[in-house]
Structures are given as C-alpha cells and as structure tokens.
C-alpha cells in the first residue's frame, strides 16, 4: 500500500474527500519533498513567488501595519486559495500572523 493508504488506514473513518486530496497531493508532490524512512510524505514545500503579493491578494481579510515576511505572504496566498498550510518557524518568527489571518478568513 502507498503511504497515503497506510495513513488513511490509521484513521477510524477517513473522509472520502480528504482521501482523494491526499492521494492527489502525493501524486503531485515536488521532487524536493522527501518521504520519511517509512515512505510517509508529511509535507510538501512549494515555494511561491510573492514579489507581486498585492496583485495576488488585492483584498486582504486582515491588514497589518508592517511589511509581511516572505513566508507569511506565501502562507496567506495559499490560505486565500483555500489551501492548507503548515508553518514551522522558530519562536518569534511571526507564525501567529498566519494564524490570525486564517481566523479572519473564517469569519
């Protein structure tokens, strides 16, 4: 079985739509996405050019009084496209900005 199948087997009642998304993402994973030793693919890094961020996200759900870092812009761009994001960064890097933005989008 594929790593997605193994992951879904560990879920009591996997959602069919989630299963389809996971399988699609596994097929479209970038070469930089290296699976773990057991073959499980947990995350895919997809660098996004956000040099034209204001064109990509012209109407932000939440405005900030400071310039966003590149990782924040990338995360917000993907959130605006209704895509899932996973942000891992050191303490005080600005992860909360991404969380606040996701909350603002949910309202």
């Amino acid at each position: 079985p594929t790593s997605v199948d193994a992951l879904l087997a560990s879920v009591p009642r996997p959602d069919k739509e989630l299963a389809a998304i996971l399988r699609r993402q596994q097929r479209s994973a970038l070469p930089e996405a290296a699976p773990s030793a057991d073959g499980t693919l947990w995350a895919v890094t997809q660098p996004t050019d956000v040099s034209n961020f204001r064109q990509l996200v012209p109407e932000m759900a939440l405005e900030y009084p400071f310039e966003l870092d590149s990782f924040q812009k990338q995360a917000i761009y993907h959130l605006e496209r209704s895509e899932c994001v996973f942000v891992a960064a050191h303490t005080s890097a600005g992860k909360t900005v991404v969380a606040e933005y996701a909350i603002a989008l949910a309202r």
Side-chain angles (χ1 to χ4, degrees):
T2 66
S3 58
V4 169
D5 291 329
L7 176 63
L8 291 171
S10 69
V11 178
R13 291 175 28 217
D15 179 275
K16 289 180 182 181
E17 185 177 349
L18 173 62
I21 290 168
L22 288 172
R23 287 194 178 94
R24 234 185 356 264
Q25 286 179 342
Q26 184 182 35
R27 285 194 301 272
S28 66
L30 296 176
E32 302 91 34
S36 63
D38 67 356
T40 304
L41 183 62
W42 292 103
V44 177
T45 303
Q46 293 182 319
T48 303
D49 178 13
V50 290
S51 59
N52 59 340
F53 178 70
R54 283 301 183 170
Q55 291 173 325
L56 294 170
V57 185
E59 296 181 33
M60 291 186 56
L62 182 62
E63 293 288 341
Y64 294 94
F66 51 85
E67 180 70 22
L68 298 172
D69 288 335
S70 180
F71 83 90
Q72 293 165 326
K73 290 177 181 178
Q74 290 180 53
I76 287 171
Y77 169 71
H78 288 285
L79 287 171
E80 285 283 350
R81 294 173 43 122
S82 298
E83 297 173 350
C84 297
V85 300
F86 176 85
V87 178
H90 62 82
T91 302
S92 298
K95 298 178 296 290
T96 303
V97 166
V98 178
E100 289 173 340
Y101 196 86
I103 293 167
L105 275 177
R107 293 184 181 171

